[in-house]
């Protein structure tokens, strides 16, 4: 091989490598936009802003939160899918990410294929609460009461993950209850307190003051372990239904990316989640700080998608 041919051969080998390097996005980008697909003021927004601050502190770039509420988080999620997979646009979503496919016939994206999971940031347990007039002071007593009178007890639900948590409970307990649908958690809880509806699942941090005031009785929490907020309340799993778990969670995603950005971003989020200040703030909010990043979080999301799809199918959810 002549020297000329040798140089040509080396240049040919180097070309794909140079092209790959040129196509790899610079990280971090000059600015990061975190889209929260809910209005300001709720828990997803509050926790999302903590994440944005953590990323900004670690990366040294401007990180802004943009609220794009509507259509049960679909509008904001679609905006992220349509963005470039360079780490400049991220999605901070809640459990809606895995429950929307259960309730909606069509979505403008494929939940599993069009997003890259980055980090599980926090989880929030709920509590099964009853009006004090309900003659049950444990999960087992409530199940026995429901078995003696099928379809006589009613349960307040308010759609999404809450409805599926209720459906999973009824399925595992082998009981029938009438669901009374509400447009939100607040009116549902008000009716349980007033005695118009006997029971419901609701966020532990929301019901805690009402439990302490004696307005409702908490029978069990939906996490796999007891909550530091109310450690005296057993888990539903330990009290009556082994394996029962239904926790609202919050996580960071980006558009599907086949580059090095997800790995770099996950590594940064691991540092963010390890920050003692962030973990303490989340705990004060009644949330359990997360630890899963990258592939571990992806496996968690896939398992959640499969779990709630089965619950929706078994409970006869009618997709809209």
């Amino acid at each position: 091989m002549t020297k000329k041919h040798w140089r040509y051969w080396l240049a040919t080998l180097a070309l794909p490598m140079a092209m790959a390097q040129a196509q790899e996005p610079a990280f971090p980008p000059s600015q990061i936009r975190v889209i929260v697909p809910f209005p300001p003021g709720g828990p997803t927004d509050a926790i999302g802003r903590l994440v944005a601050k953590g990323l900004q502190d670690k990366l040294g770039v401007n990180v802004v939160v943009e609220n794009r509420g509507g259509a049960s988080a679909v509008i904001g999620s679609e905006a992220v899918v349509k963005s470039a997979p360079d780490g400049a646009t991220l999605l901070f979503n809640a459990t809606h990410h895995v429950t929307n496919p259960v309730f909606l016939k069509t979505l403008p994206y494929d939940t599993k294929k069009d997003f890259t999971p980055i980090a599980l940031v926090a989880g929030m347990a709920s509590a099964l609460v009853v009006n004090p007039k309900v003659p049950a002071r444990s999960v087992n007593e409530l199940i026995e009461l429901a078995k003696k009178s099928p379809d006589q007890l009613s349960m307040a639900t308010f759609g999404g993950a809450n409805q599926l948590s209720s459906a999973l409970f009824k399925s595992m307990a082998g009981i029938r209850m009438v669901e009374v649908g509400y447009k939100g958690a607040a009116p549902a809880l008000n009716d349980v307190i007033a005695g118009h509806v006997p029971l419901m699942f609701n966020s532990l941090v929301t019901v805690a003051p009402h439990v302490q005031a004696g307005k409702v009785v908490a029978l069990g929490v939906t996490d796999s372990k007891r909550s530091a907020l109310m450690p005296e309340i057993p888990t539903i799993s330990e009290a009556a239904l082994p394996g029962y778990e239904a926790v609202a969670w919050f996580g960071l995603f980006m558009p599907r990316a086949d580059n090095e950005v997800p790995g770099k971003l996950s590594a940064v989020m691991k540092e963010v989640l390890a920050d003692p200040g962030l973990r303490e703030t989340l705990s004060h909010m009644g949330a359990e700080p997360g630890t899963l990043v990258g592939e571990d979080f992806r496996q968690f999301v896939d398992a959640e998608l499969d779990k709630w799809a089965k619950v929706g199918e078994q409970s006869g959810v009618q997709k809209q």
Side-chain angles (χ1 to χ4, degrees):
M1 182 182 292
T2 66
K3 186 179 294 186
K4 181 179 179 180
H5 289 150
W6 179 256
R7 284 199 300 267
Y8 176 79
W9 183 70
L10 287 176
T12 303
L13 287 178
L15 183 60
M17 296 176 61
M19 291 178 62
Q21 290 174 354
Q23 292 172 355
E24 189 66 36
F27 187 85
S30 58
Q31 177 172 293
I32 295 176
R33 179 177 54 148
V34 178
I35 292 182
V36 175
F38 298 96
T44 312
D45 177 64
I47 299 174
R49 291 181 185 278
L50 291 175
V51 170
K53 184 181 183 304
L55 285 173
Q56 182 167 286
D57 292 345
K58 294 293 182 183
L59 294 174
V61 299
N62 192 34
V63 181
V64 298
V65 172
E66 180 180 323
N67 295 93
R68 287 204 186 184
S72 189
V74 173
I75 292 175
S77 300
E78 182 182 11
V80 173
V81 165
K82 292 180 177 180
S83 302
D86 56 5
T89 303
L90 308 176
L91 173 70
F92 190 76
N93 206 352
T95 321
H96 290 68
H97 191 74
V98 294
T99 59
N100 274 342
V102 179
F103 293 100
L104 302 177
K105 289 181 180 178
T106 59
L107 286 167
Y109 49 78
D110 186 306
T111 305
K112 181 178 286 191
K113 295 179 181 179
D114 291 340
F115 293 92
T116 299
I118 300 299
L120 176 65
V121 175
M124 277 189 176
S126 292
L128 173 60
V129 297
V130 300
N131 181 277
K133 293 182 180 179
V134 175
R137 290 299 177 267
S138 71
V139 179
N140 273 324
E141 288 181 4
L142 179 66
I143 292 173
E144 288 304 313
L145 185 64
K147 286 183 175 180
K148 290 177 182 178
S149 306
D151 297 320
Q152 296 302 304
L153 283 176
S154 55
M155 173 184 287
T157 62
F158 47 92
N162 176 264
Q163 184 178 341
L164 293 177
S165 299
S166 303
L168 179 62
F169 177 78
K170 291 187 294 181
S171 175
M172 291 183 68
I175 57 177
R176 299 205 312 264
M177 291 185 184
V178 177
E179 288 189 12
V180 180
Y182 288 81
K183 291 184 178 180
L189 180 57
N190 287 339
D191 271 9
V192 172
I193 291 173
H196 302 314
V197 183
L199 61 114
M200 73 177 300
F201 285 93
N202 203 346
S203 166
L204 186 61
V205 69
T206 299
V207 302
H210 300 292
V211 172
Q212 293 164 357
K215 295 180 180 179
V216 293
V217 179
L219 303 185
V221 297
T222 62
D223 206 345
S224 59
K225 60 181 180 180
R226 295 195 183 200
S227 170
L229 188 63
M230 299 183 71
E232 70 279 9
I233 308 300
T235 69
I236 293 174
S237 179
E238 70 176 290
L241 304 174
Y244 179 90
E245 185 177 5
V247 177
W249 53 264
F250 308 85
L252 188 68
F253 300 82
M254 66 175 289
R256 177 179 175 176
D258 298 319
N259 51 43
E260 295 180 2
V261 174
K264 294 177 179 179
L265 191 55
S266 294
V268 175
M269 278 303 301
K270 188 173 184 178
E271 295 180 16
V272 171
L273 294 175
D275 181 75
L278 174 71
R279 299 183 72 82
E280 183 178 0
T281 301
L282 288 172
S283 296
H284 287 164
M285 294 171 65
E288 179 71 23
T291 58
L292 302 180
V293 299
E295 177 62 17
D296 291 336
F297 182 40
R298 185 196 65 76
Q299 292 180 12
F300 170 84
V301 172
D302 288 352
E304 285 280 280
L305 283 166
D306 292 342
K307 172 182 177 178
W308 295 121
K310 290 177 183 177
V311 172
E313 183 178 351
Q314 293 169 357
S315 60
V317 169
Q318 298 297 312
K319 293 191 176 187
Q320 298 180 351

